mmCIF file of all heavy atoms in Angstrom:
data_model
loop_
_atom_site.group_PDB
_atom_site.id
_atom_site.type_symbol
_atom_site.label_atom_id
_atom_site.label_comp_id
_atom_site.label_asym_id
_atom_site.label_seq_id
_atom_site.Cartn_x
_atom_site.Cartn_y
_atom_site.Cartn_z
ATOM 1 N N HIS A 1 -67.956 -114.854 164.546
ATOM 2 C CA HIS A 1 -66.935 -114.642 163.512
ATOM 3 C C HIS A 1 -67.574 -114.201 162.197
ATOM 4 O O HIS A 1 -67.026 -114.408 161.124
ATOM 5 C CB HIS A 1 -66.059 -115.883 163.315
ATOM 6 C CG HIS A 1 -65.590 -116.475 164.601
ATOM 7 N ND1 HIS A 1 -64.760 -115.807 165.458
ATOM 8 C CD2 HIS A 1 -65.880 -117.654 165.189
ATOM 9 C CE1 HIS A 1 -64.539 -116.557 166.521
ATOM 10 N NE2 HIS A 1 -65.210 -117.672 166.387
ATOM 11 N N ARG A 2 -68.725 -113.586 162.306
ATOM 12 C CA ARG A 2 -69.446 -113.032 161.155
ATOM 13 C C ARG A 2 -69.381 -111.516 161.269
ATOM 14 O O ARG A 2 -68.714 -110.993 162.153
ATOM 15 C CB ARG A 2 -70.898 -113.529 161.165
ATOM 16 C CG ARG A 2 -71.095 -115.032 161.226
ATOM 17 C CD ARG A 2 -70.778 -115.777 159.950
ATOM 18 N NE ARG A 2 -71.395 -115.228 158.784
ATOM 19 C CZ ARG A 2 -72.406 -115.759 158.121
ATOM 20 N NH1 ARG A 2 -72.959 -116.867 158.518
ATOM 21 N NH2 ARG A 2 -72.880 -115.162 157.044
ATOM 22 N N SER A 3 -70.098 -110.803 160.422
ATOM 23 C CA SER A 3 -70.008 -109.345 160.471
ATOM 24 C C SER A 3 -71.365 -108.682 160.294
ATOM 25 O O SER A 3 -72.332 -109.292 159.846
ATOM 26 C CB SER A 3 -69.018 -108.832 159.425
ATOM 27 O OG SER A 3 -69.376 -109.279 158.143
ATOM 28 N N THR A 4 -71.383 -107.392 160.675
ATOM 29 C CA THR A 4 -72.579 -106.564 160.602
ATOM 30 C C THR A 4 -72.154 -105.131 160.311
ATOM 31 O O THR A 4 -71.039 -104.740 160.651
ATOM 32 C CB THR A 4 -73.377 -106.617 161.916
ATOM 33 O OG1 THR A 4 -74.558 -105.820 161.785
ATOM 34 C CG2 THR A 4 -72.577 -106.124 163.113
ATOM 35 N N THR A 5 -73.026 -104.376 159.692
ATOM 36 C CA THR A 5 -72.706 -102.977 159.407
ATOM 37 C C THR A 5 -73.222 -102.029 160.484
ATOM 38 O O THR A 5 -73.054 -100.815 160.359
ATOM 39 C CB THR A 5 -73.265 -102.554 158.032
ATOM 40 O OG1 THR A 5 -74.643 -102.890 157.962
ATOM 41 C CG2 THR A 5 -72.498 -103.235 156.905
ATOM 42 N N THR A 6 -73.827 -102.567 161.537
ATOM 43 C CA THR A 6 -74.274 -101.719 162.640
ATOM 44 C C THR A 6 -73.883 -102.336 163.981
ATOM 45 O O THR A 6 -73.886 -103.544 164.159
ATOM 46 C CB THR A 6 -75.804 -101.506 162.631
ATOM 47 O OG1 THR A 6 -76.460 -102.775 162.618
ATOM 48 C CG2 THR A 6 -76.239 -100.670 161.449
ATOM 49 N N ALA A 7 -73.546 -101.458 164.907
ATOM 50 C CA ALA A 7 -73.258 -101.849 166.286
ATOM 51 C C ALA A 7 -73.933 -100.832 167.188
ATOM 52 O O ALA A 7 -74.194 -99.699 166.775
ATOM 53 C CB ALA A 7 -71.757 -101.878 166.537
ATOM 54 N N VAL A 8 -74.216 -101.248 168.403
ATOM 55 C CA VAL A 8 -74.835 -100.342 169.365
ATOM 56 C C VAL A 8 -73.944 -100.275 170.601
ATOM 57 O O VAL A 8 -73.267 -101.246 170.950
ATOM 58 C CB VAL A 8 -76.280 -100.788 169.720
ATOM 59 C CG1 VAL A 8 -76.299 -102.119 170.452
ATOM 60 C CG2 VAL A 8 -77.022 -99.723 170.512
ATOM 61 N N ILE A 9 -73.939 -99.117 171.238
ATOM 62 C CA ILE A 9 -73.167 -98.923 172.461
ATOM 63 C C ILE A 9 -73.993 -99.394 173.639
ATOM 64 O O ILE A 9 -75.134 -98.954 173.827
ATOM 65 C CB ILE A 9 -72.795 -97.430 172.650
ATOM 66 C CG1 ILE A 9 -72.063 -96.875 171.436
ATOM 67 C CG2 ILE A 9 -72.004 -97.239 173.946
ATOM 68 C CD1 ILE A 9 -70.757 -97.543 171.098
ATOM 69 N N ARG A 10 -73.397 -100.298 174.436
ATOM 70 C CA ARG A 10 -74.073 -100.818 175.620
ATOM 71 C C ARG A 10 -73.130 -100.826 176.809
ATOM 72 O O ARG A 10 -71.952 -101.128 176.675
ATOM 73 C CB ARG A 10 -74.562 -102.257 175.385
ATOM 74 C CG ARG A 10 -75.753 -102.345 174.488
ATOM 75 C CD ARG A 10 -76.981 -101.771 175.198
ATOM 76 N NE ARG A 10 -78.090 -101.659 174.299
ATOM 77 C CZ ARG A 10 -78.803 -100.558 174.122
ATOM 78 N NH1 ARG A 10 -78.529 -99.455 174.794
ATOM 79 N NH2 ARG A 10 -79.809 -100.535 173.293
ATOM 80 N N ASP A 11 -73.662 -100.494 177.982
ATOM 81 C CA ASP A 11 -72.970 -100.702 179.250
ATOM 82 C C ASP A 11 -73.238 -102.142 179.635
ATOM 83 O O ASP A 11 -74.409 -102.539 179.749
ATOM 84 C CB ASP A 11 -73.530 -99.787 180.337
ATOM 85 C CG ASP A 11 -72.766 -98.487 180.453
ATOM 86 O OD1 ASP A 11 -71.551 -98.479 180.272
ATOM 87 O OD2 ASP A 11 -73.426 -97.471 180.750
ATOM 88 N N VAL A 12 -72.200 -102.920 179.809
ATOM 89 C CA VAL A 12 -72.367 -104.334 180.151
ATOM 90 C C VAL A 12 -71.977 -104.523 181.613
ATOM 91 O O VAL A 12 -70.787 -104.457 181.955
ATOM 92 C CB VAL A 12 -71.523 -105.235 179.227
ATOM 93 C CG1 VAL A 12 -71.666 -106.692 179.631
ATOM 94 C CG2 VAL A 12 -71.935 -105.036 177.769
ATOM 95 N N PRO A 13 -72.960 -104.755 182.485
ATOM 96 C CA PRO A 13 -72.666 -104.933 183.910
ATOM 97 C C PRO A 13 -71.737 -106.132 184.131
ATOM 98 O O PRO A 13 -71.908 -107.188 183.535
ATOM 99 C CB PRO A 13 -74.041 -105.207 184.537
ATOM 100 C CG PRO A 13 -75.030 -104.703 183.544
ATOM 101 C CD PRO A 13 -74.391 -104.861 182.198
ATOM 102 N N GLY A 14 -70.722 -105.927 184.960
ATOM 103 C CA GLY A 14 -69.823 -107.003 185.339
ATOM 104 C C GLY A 14 -68.703 -107.286 184.350
ATOM 105 O O GLY A 14 -67.785 -108.043 184.668
ATOM 106 N N LEU A 15 -68.755 -106.717 183.159
ATOM 107 C CA LEU A 15 -67.687 -106.943 182.180
ATOM 108 C C LEU A 15 -66.462 -106.142 182.591
ATOM 109 O O LEU A 15 -66.546 -104.936 182.797
ATOM 110 C CB LEU A 15 -68.130 -106.532 180.778
ATOM 111 C CG LEU A 15 -67.098 -106.756 179.668
ATOM 112 C CD1 LEU A 15 -66.890 -108.245 179.413
ATOM 113 C CD2 LEU A 15 -67.533 -106.059 178.386
ATOM 114 N N THR A 16 -65.341 -106.832 182.710
ATOM 115 C CA THR A 16 -64.084 -106.153 183.047
ATOM 116 C C THR A 16 -63.218 -106.044 181.801
ATOM 117 O O THR A 16 -63.450 -106.732 180.807
ATOM 118 C CB THR A 16 -63.303 -106.933 184.120
ATOM 119 O OG1 THR A 16 -62.890 -108.194 183.563
ATOM 120 C CG2 THR A 16 -64.148 -107.155 185.376
ATOM 121 N N ARG A 17 -62.203 -105.215 181.901
ATOM 122 C CA ARG A 17 -61.262 -105.093 180.795
ATOM 123 C C ARG A 17 -60.599 -106.436 180.521
ATOM 124 O O ARG A 17 -60.387 -106.828 179.383
ATOM 125 C CB ARG A 17 -60.217 -104.030 181.103
ATOM 126 C CG ARG A 17 -59.402 -103.699 179.866
ATOM 127 C CD ARG A 17 -58.096 -102.975 180.190
ATOM 128 N NE ARG A 17 -57.355 -102.795 178.971
ATOM 129 C CZ ARG A 17 -56.763 -103.784 178.317
ATOM 130 N NH1 ARG A 17 -56.816 -105.019 178.750
ATOM 131 N NH2 ARG A 17 -56.104 -103.547 177.189
ATOM 132 N N SER A 18 -60.291 -107.151 181.578
ATOM 133 C CA SER A 18 -59.671 -108.474 181.446
ATOM 134 C C SER A 18 -60.601 -109.453 180.710
ATOM 135 O O SER A 18 -60.152 -110.221 179.852
ATOM 136 C CB SER A 18 -59.319 -109.012 182.838
ATOM 137 O OG SER A 18 -58.755 -110.282 182.744
ATOM 138 N N ASP A 19 -61.899 -109.414 181.038
ATOM 139 C CA ASP A 19 -62.888 -110.256 180.347
ATOM 140 C C ASP A 19 -62.948 -109.902 178.865
ATOM 141 O O ASP A 19 -63.029 -110.782 178.002
ATOM 142 C CB ASP A 19 -64.299 -110.056 180.926
ATOM 143 C CG ASP A 19 -64.440 -110.481 182.358
ATOM 144 O OD1 ASP A 19 -63.670 -111.346 182.824
ATOM 145 O OD2 ASP A 19 -65.342 -109.933 183.032
ATOM 146 N N TYR A 20 -62.949 -108.611 178.594
ATOM 147 C CA TYR A 20 -63.036 -108.105 177.225
ATOM 148 C C TYR A 20 -61.835 -108.594 176.408
ATOM 149 O O TYR A 20 -61.968 -109.086 175.290
ATOM 150 C CB TYR A 20 -63.080 -106.582 177.288
ATOM 151 C CG TYR A 20 -63.694 -105.844 176.132
ATOM 152 C CD1 TYR A 20 -64.451 -106.473 175.159
ATOM 153 C CD2 TYR A 20 -63.512 -104.472 176.032
ATOM 154 C CE1 TYR A 20 -65.014 -105.743 174.109
ATOM 155 C CE2 TYR A 20 -64.063 -103.741 174.988
ATOM 156 C CZ TYR A 20 -64.810 -104.392 174.034
ATOM 157 O OH TYR A 20 -65.359 -103.673 173.011
ATOM 158 N N GLU A 21 -60.655 -108.473 177.000
ATOM 159 C CA GLU A 21 -59.442 -108.917 176.323
ATOM 160 C C GLU A 21 -59.471 -110.432 176.116
ATOM 161 O O GLU A 21 -59.096 -110.928 175.044
ATOM 162 C CB GLU A 21 -58.204 -108.507 177.118
ATOM 163 C CG GLU A 21 -56.920 -108.775 176.383
ATOM 164 C CD GLU A 21 -55.695 -108.159 177.038
ATOM 165 O OE1 GLU A 21 -55.815 -107.118 177.716
ATOM 166 O OE2 GLU A 21 -54.610 -108.737 176.851
ATOM 167 N N ALA A 22 -59.933 -111.182 177.113
ATOM 168 C CA ALA A 22 -60.020 -112.641 176.974
ATOM 169 C C ALA A 22 -60.988 -113.034 175.864
ATOM 170 O O ALA A 22 -60.734 -113.987 175.115
ATOM 171 C CB ALA A 22 -60.450 -113.264 178.307
ATOM 172 N N ALA A 23 -62.085 -112.304 175.731
ATOM 173 C CA ALA A 23 -63.064 -112.598 174.673
ATOM 174 C C ALA A 23 -62.460 -112.365 173.294
ATOM 175 O O ALA A 23 -62.635 -113.182 172.379
ATOM 176 C CB ALA A 23 -64.315 -111.742 174.858
ATOM 177 N N LEU A 24 -61.734 -111.269 173.130
ATOM 178 C CA LEU A 24 -61.127 -110.986 171.833
ATOM 179 C C LEU A 24 -60.011 -111.983 171.531
ATOM 180 O O LEU A 24 -59.898 -112.485 170.415
ATOM 181 C CB LEU A 24 -60.605 -109.549 171.776
ATOM 182 C CG LEU A 24 -60.068 -109.103 170.419
ATOM 183 C CD1 LEU A 24 -61.122 -109.236 169.314
ATOM 184 C CD2 LEU A 24 -59.574 -107.664 170.493
ATOM 185 N N ARG A 25 -59.213 -112.312 172.537
ATOM 186 C CA ARG A 25 -58.137 -113.290 172.348
ATOM 187 C C ARG A 25 -58.729 -114.651 171.963
ATOM 188 O O ARG A 25 -58.230 -115.326 171.054
ATOM 189 C CB ARG A 25 -57.292 -113.402 173.610
ATOM 190 C CG ARG A 25 -56.035 -114.246 173.418
ATOM 191 C CD ARG A 25 -55.126 -114.197 174.640
ATOM 192 N NE ARG A 25 -54.807 -112.860 175.087
ATOM 193 C CZ ARG A 25 -53.885 -112.070 174.544
ATOM 194 N NH1 ARG A 25 -53.213 -112.492 173.487
ATOM 195 N NH2 ARG A 25 -53.648 -110.873 175.026
ATOM 196 N N ALA A 26 -59.809 -115.048 172.616
ATOM 197 C CA ALA A 26 -60.465 -116.323 172.297
ATOM 198 C C ALA A 26 -61.009 -116.316 170.870
ATOM 199 O O ALA A 26 -60.954 -117.330 170.167
ATOM 200 C CB ALA A 26 -61.579 -116.608 173.296
ATOM 201 N N SER A 27 -61.527 -115.164 170.436
ATOM 202 C CA SER A 27 -62.029 -115.040 169.071
ATOM 203 C C SER A 27 -60.891 -115.228 168.068
ATOM 204 O O SER A 27 -61.028 -115.966 167.088
ATOM 205 C CB SER A 27 -62.689 -113.677 168.870
ATOM 206 O OG SER A 27 -63.176 -113.534 167.564
ATOM 207 N N PHE A 28 -59.775 -114.557 168.326
ATOM 208 C CA PHE A 28 -58.616 -114.707 167.438
ATOM 209 C C PHE A 28 -58.125 -116.147 167.423
ATOM 210 O O PHE A 28 -57.823 -116.698 166.368
ATOM 211 C CB PHE A 28 -57.484 -113.772 167.866
ATOM 212 C CG PHE A 28 -57.716 -112.312 167.586
ATOM 213 C CD1 PHE A 28 -56.794 -111.380 167.999
ATOM 214 C CD2 PHE A 28 -58.853 -111.857 166.925
ATOM 215 C CE1 PHE A 28 -56.972 -110.022 167.752
ATOM 216 C CE2 PHE A 28 -59.054 -110.506 166.669
ATOM 217 C CZ PHE A 28 -58.104 -109.594 167.086
ATOM 218 N N ASP A 29 -58.032 -116.764 168.605
ATOM 219 C CA ASP A 29 -57.575 -118.155 168.702
ATOM 220 C C ASP A 29 -58.488 -119.089 167.919
ATOM 221 O O ASP A 29 -58.023 -119.961 167.191
ATOM 222 C CB ASP A 29 -57.508 -118.607 170.167
ATOM 223 C CG ASP A 29 -56.368 -117.963 170.945
ATOM 224 O OD1 ASP A 29 -55.463 -117.344 170.333
ATOM 225 O OD2 ASP A 29 -56.384 -118.078 172.191
ATOM 226 N N ALA A 30 -59.796 -118.891 168.059
ATOM 227 C CA ALA A 30 -60.777 -119.753 167.377
ATOM 228 C C ALA A 30 -60.676 -119.636 165.861
ATOM 229 O O ALA A 30 -60.976 -120.587 165.131
ATOM 230 C CB ALA A 30 -62.191 -119.410 167.837
ATOM 231 N N GLN A 31 -60.248 -118.478 165.388
ATOM 232 C CA GLN A 31 -60.126 -118.259 163.947
ATOM 233 C C GLN A 31 -58.725 -118.580 163.425
ATOM 234 O O GLN A 31 -58.465 -118.448 162.229
ATOM 235 C CB GLN A 31 -60.485 -116.800 163.616
ATOM 236 C CG GLN A 31 -61.938 -116.487 163.924
ATOM 237 C CD GLN A 31 -62.250 -115.039 163.673
ATOM 238 O OE1 GLN A 31 -62.473 -114.652 162.538
ATOM 239 N NE2 GLN A 31 -62.259 -114.227 164.731
ATOM 240 N N GLY A 32 -57.822 -118.975 164.336
ATOM 241 C CA GLY A 32 -56.473 -119.321 163.930
ATOM 242 C C GLY A 32 -55.588 -118.125 163.630
ATOM 243 O O GLY A 32 -54.603 -118.237 162.910
ATOM 244 N N TRP A 33 -55.933 -116.960 164.189
ATOM 245 C CA TRP A 33 -55.135 -115.762 163.965
ATOM 246 C C TRP A 33 -54.041 -115.678 165.016
ATOM 247 O O TRP A 33 -54.267 -115.961 166.182
ATOM 248 C CB TRP A 33 -55.987 -114.507 164.069
ATOM 249 C CG TRP A 33 -56.969 -114.339 162.964
ATOM 250 C CD1 TRP A 33 -57.303 -115.248 162.006
ATOM 251 C CD2 TRP A 33 -57.760 -113.195 162.706
ATOM 252 N NE1 TRP A 33 -58.257 -114.726 161.169
ATOM 253 C CE2 TRP A 33 -58.548 -113.465 161.585
ATOM 254 C CE3 TRP A 33 -57.872 -111.965 163.318
ATOM 255 C CZ2 TRP A 33 -59.447 -112.545 161.061
ATOM 256 C CZ3 TRP A 33 -58.762 -111.051 162.803
ATOM 257 C CH2 TRP A 33 -59.538 -111.346 161.680
ATOM 258 N N CYS A 34 -52.888 -115.268 164.602
ATOM 259 C CA CYS A 34 -51.783 -115.050 165.524
ATOM 260 C C CYS A 34 -51.993 -113.687 166.182
ATOM 261 O O CYS A 34 -51.937 -112.662 165.495
ATOM 262 C CB CYS A 34 -50.470 -115.082 164.759
ATOM 263 S SG CYS A 34 -49.059 -114.613 165.757
ATOM 264 N N PRO A 35 -52.270 -113.631 167.478
ATOM 265 C CA PRO A 35 -52.566 -112.345 168.123
ATOM 266 C C PRO A 35 -51.364 -111.419 168.262
ATOM 267 O O PRO A 35 -51.505 -110.292 168.667
ATOM 268 C CB PRO A 35 -53.110 -112.748 169.494
ATOM 269 C CG PRO A 35 -52.515 -114.087 169.749
ATOM 270 C CD PRO A 35 -52.360 -114.749 168.397
ATOM 271 N N CYS A 36 -50.172 -111.893 167.867
ATOM 272 C CA CYS A 36 -48.992 -111.032 168.021
ATOM 273 C C CYS A 36 -48.593 -110.339 166.723
ATOM 274 O O CYS A 36 -47.894 -109.344 166.757
ATOM 275 C CB CYS A 36 -47.821 -111.832 168.559
ATOM 276 S SG CYS A 36 -47.312 -113.170 167.476
ATOM 277 N N CYS A 37 -49.043 -110.860 165.564
ATOM 278 C CA CYS A 37 -48.573 -110.222 164.334
ATOM 279 C C CYS A 37 -49.628 -110.124 163.229
ATOM 280 O O CYS A 37 -49.449 -109.351 162.302
ATOM 281 C CB CYS A 37 -47.347 -110.950 163.798
ATOM 282 S SG CYS A 37 -47.646 -112.667 163.358
ATOM 283 N N CYS A 38 -50.694 -110.881 163.297
ATOM 284 C CA CYS A 38 -51.716 -110.808 162.242
ATOM 285 C C CYS A 38 -52.527 -109.523 162.345
ATOM 286 O O CYS A 38 -53.020 -109.014 161.353
ATOM 287 C CB CYS A 38 -52.657 -112.009 162.315
ATOM 288 S SG CYS A 38 -51.826 -113.559 161.944
ATOM 289 N N VAL A 39 -52.714 -109.066 163.537
ATOM 290 C CA VAL A 39 -53.372 -107.782 163.808
ATOM 291 C C VAL A 39 -52.542 -107.119 164.896
ATOM 292 O O VAL A 39 -51.616 -107.720 165.426
ATOM 293 C CB VAL A 39 -54.843 -107.963 164.281
ATOM 294 C CG1 VAL A 39 -55.689 -108.548 163.173
ATOM 295 C CG2 VAL A 39 -54.926 -108.811 165.522
ATOM 296 N N GLN A 40 -52.878 -105.898 165.249
ATOM 297 C CA GLN A 40 -52.135 -105.270 166.336
ATOM 298 C C GLN A 40 -52.372 -106.071 167.609
ATOM 299 O O GLN A 40 -53.318 -106.858 167.691
ATOM 300 C CB GLN A 40 -52.539 -103.809 166.468
ATOM 301 C CG GLN A 40 -53.941 -103.588 166.989
ATOM 302 C CD GLN A 40 -54.370 -102.149 166.882
ATOM 303 O OE1 GLN A 40 -55.023 -101.791 165.938
ATOM 304 N NE2 GLN A 40 -54.013 -101.334 167.843
ATOM 305 N N PRO A 41 -51.527 -105.916 168.626
ATOM 306 C CA PRO A 41 -51.704 -106.690 169.861
ATOM 307 C C PRO A 41 -53.117 -106.560 170.428
ATOM 308 O O PRO A 41 -53.722 -105.488 170.383
ATOM 309 C CB PRO A 41 -50.666 -106.081 170.807
ATOM 310 C CG PRO A 41 -49.611 -105.541 169.889
ATOM 311 C CD PRO A 41 -50.361 -105.042 168.674
ATOM 312 N N VAL A 42 -53.620 -107.656 170.954
ATOM 313 C CA VAL A 42 -54.984 -107.712 171.483
ATOM 314 C C VAL A 42 -55.220 -106.614 172.517
ATOM 315 O O VAL A 42 -56.258 -105.959 172.495
ATOM 316 C CB VAL A 42 -55.276 -109.109 172.078
ATOM 317 C CG1 VAL A 42 -56.611 -109.131 172.803
ATOM 318 C CG2 VAL A 42 -55.241 -110.170 170.982
ATOM 319 N N SER A 43 -54.268 -106.395 173.398
ATOM 320 C CA SER A 43 -54.451 -105.371 174.437
ATOM 321 C C SER A 43 -54.665 -103.987 173.822
ATOM 322 O O SER A 43 -55.467 -103.201 174.322
ATOM 323 C CB SER A 43 -53.263 -105.354 175.395
ATOM 324 O OG SER A 43 -52.071 -105.037 174.699
ATOM 325 N N GLU A 44 -53.977 -103.689 172.718
ATOM 326 C CA GLU A 44 -54.152 -102.399 172.046
ATOM 327 C C GLU A 44 -55.519 -102.303 171.372
ATOM 328 O O GLU A 44 -56.149 -101.245 171.393
ATOM 329 C CB GLU A 44 -53.052 -102.179 171.010
ATOM 330 C CG GLU A 44 -51.693 -101.933 171.612
ATOM 331 C CD GLU A 44 -50.613 -101.748 170.552
ATOM 332 O OE1 GLU A 44 -50.942 -101.506 169.374
ATOM 333 O OE2 GLU A 44 -49.420 -101.855 170.920
ATOM 334 N N VAL A 45 -55.971 -103.389 170.773
ATOM 335 C CA VAL A 45 -57.295 -103.401 170.137
ATOM 336 C C VAL A 45 -58.361 -103.143 171.199
ATOM 337 O O VAL A 45 -59.276 -102.342 170.994
ATOM 338 C CB VAL A 45 -57.562 -104.730 169.398
ATOM 339 C CG1 VAL A 45 -58.982 -104.773 168.850
ATOM 340 C CG2 VAL A 45 -56.555 -104.945 168.282
ATOM 341 N N VAL A 46 -58.242 -103.803 172.341
ATOM 342 C CA VAL A 46 -59.215 -103.618 173.429
ATOM 343 C C VAL A 46 -59.191 -102.182 173.927
ATOM 344 O O VAL A 46 -60.251 -101.577 174.133
ATOM 345 C CB VAL A 46 -58.963 -104.631 174.568
ATOM 346 C CG1 VAL A 46 -59.786 -104.290 175.801
ATOM 347 C CG2 VAL A 46 -59.282 -106.044 174.087
ATOM 348 N N ASP A 47 -58.007 -101.620 174.110
ATOM 349 C CA ASP A 47 -57.914 -100.217 174.545
ATOM 350 C C ASP A 47 -58.629 -99.301 173.556
ATOM 351 O O ASP A 47 -59.353 -98.380 173.957
ATOM 352 C CB ASP A 47 -56.452 -99.779 174.687
ATOM 353 C CG ASP A 47 -55.757 -100.395 175.882
ATOM 354 O OD1 ASP A 47 -56.444 -100.888 176.808
ATOM 355 O OD2 ASP A 47 -54.500 -100.396 175.892
#
C-alpha cells in the first residue's frame, strides 16, 4: 500500500486474471476502499 515512480513489465508464470483481480480486490479491502464506487470497478482496473 505504498508507492513507487517505477514499475517493470514481467511475465508471471501461473498468474491468472482471476488471481490478479483477487489481489487488487484484497488490496482495496485492506485499505478500506469501497471497490464499487471509490475507484472504477476492480474488474475494469484489472482489464
Side-chain angles (χ1 to χ4, degrees):
H1 314 296
R2 306 287 310 253
S3 56
T4 182
T5 52
T6 54
V8 66
I9 305 299
R10 286 291 171 231
D11 267 324
V12 178
L15 181 69
T16 66
R17 191 197 176 289
S18 179
D19 296 335
Y20 204 13
E21 188 170 331
L24 186 58
R25 188 173 308 280
S27 180
F28 288 176
D29 289 347
Q31 295 177 81
W33 291 10
C34 172
C36 61
C37 62
C38 294
V39 294
Q40 70 190 96
V42 172
S43 61
E44 290 179 16
V45 175
V46 170
D47 288 342

